[in-house]
Amino acid sequence: MVSEQDANWKFAQESVVEPEHIARARQHALELGAEPVDPAVGAQLAVLAAATGARNFVEIGTAAGVSGLWLLSGAPSAVLTTIDSEPEHLAVARQSFADAKVPAARARFITGRASDVLPRMNEASYDLVLVDADPEHVIEYVEHGLRLVRAGGTVLVPRALHNGRVADPVQRDDVTRALRSLIQETQQSPAVIAALSLVGDGLLQLTKVTD
């Protein structure tokens, strides 16, 4: 029997109507073997982008363009910098952006390992940073993200519940422990306002309150 909580989660997930151009990008991503955020998470990204009046994003993990298109749908004049170590993922994203008529000046594609690229980026220069790659490096990437966002900027971590493993104390693999630690420590940190949404597989939201 489906619990009331599960029914509510399923309804929220299925209520999202994904724009056609993003649905096409999702299909391309899946064909490529990428793992894009689901539509409910994408809609949340668009709302956050719109609510914060974001002008500059950084995306760690391109997933063939799905999350980037959602972010840009919420902030029509923003510029996205997306980083991925897979040139093919970036190429598909570039084509999806072109198909969606996103002006070339609004997207910057960087091929490389995030751990190499992020230290070279300007601190306090971005409104939103999306961390959706290499879960084994999530703490490192979030630390970089908090350095890159301005005061009042937000770092977003989808898949923060790691397929339900984070909530299960029996699960002790490295990624689960890192995510569990990240959630617990940021809830107690005076440097951020932290919230964990159950949307998708968990969306951790960290808004920077100090420089």
Side-chain angles (χ1 to χ4, degrees):
M1 182 176 180
V2 178
S3 70
E4 181 179 345
Q5 183 174 352
D6 288 342
N8 287 339
W9 181 89
K10 187 172 185 291
F11 179 82
Q13 290 290 111
E14 295 178 351
S15 67
V16 177
V17 178
E18 191 162 55
E20 185 177 341
H21 68 283
I22 302 181
R24 285 197 302 269
R26 177 178 303 283
Q27 185 58 41
H28 294 322
L30 294 173
E31 291 169 357
L32 190 63
E35 296 184 33
V37 297
D38 68 26
V41 172
Q44 188 73 58
L45 300 181
V47 167
L48 290 166
T52 57
R55 302 297 300 272
N56 288 287
F57 309 125
V58 175
E59 178 184 52
I60 304 167
T62 304
V66 174
S67 48
L69 288 171
W70 271 114
L71 284 166
L72 290 170
S73 74
S77 60
V79 174
L80 170 73
T81 298
T82 185
I83 304 164
D84 205 293
S85 60
E86 297 288 344
E88 191 175 6
H89 289 199
L90 288 164
V92 172
R94 193 187 299 273
Q95 186 59 54
S96 292
F97 279 39
D99 292 345
K101 307 251 186 316
V102 174
R106 288 180 57 201
R108 178 184 177 212
F109 301 87
I110 299 178
T111 305
R113 293 170 54 86
S115 56
D116 296 330
V117 175
L118 294 170
R120 302 198 299 266
M121 300 182 74
N122 293 331
E123 63 182 67
S125 298
Y126 299 90
D127 303 302
L128 287 175
V129 173
L130 177 68
V131 177
D132 191 25
D134 307 326
E136 65 274 17
H137 298 299
V138 64
I139 291 178
E140 174 191 353
Y141 292 170
V142 167
E143 288 173 348
H144 277 299
L146 289 171
R147 179 183 65 82
L148 294 179
V149 295
R150 58 172 174 78
T154 298
V155 176
L156 301 169
V157 186
R159 309 178 218 277
L161 292 174
H162 197 35
N163 294 316
R165 297 175 70 86
V166 169
D168 182 355
V170 173
Q171 305 298 329
R172 304 293 296 170
D173 62 275
D174 289 346
V175 171
T176 297
R177 289 195 296 168
L179 286 165
R180 191 179 289 137
S181 174
L182 177 64
I183 292 166
Q184 293 169 344
E185 291 180 12
T186 53
Q187 288 289 338
Q188 301 171 27
S189 172
V192 297
I193 298 170
L196 177 62
S197 166
L198 295 181
V199 67
D201 187 27
L203 178 64
L204 181 62
Q205 304 160 76
L206 307 171
T207 295
K208 182 177 178 180
V209 295
T210 60
D211 287 320

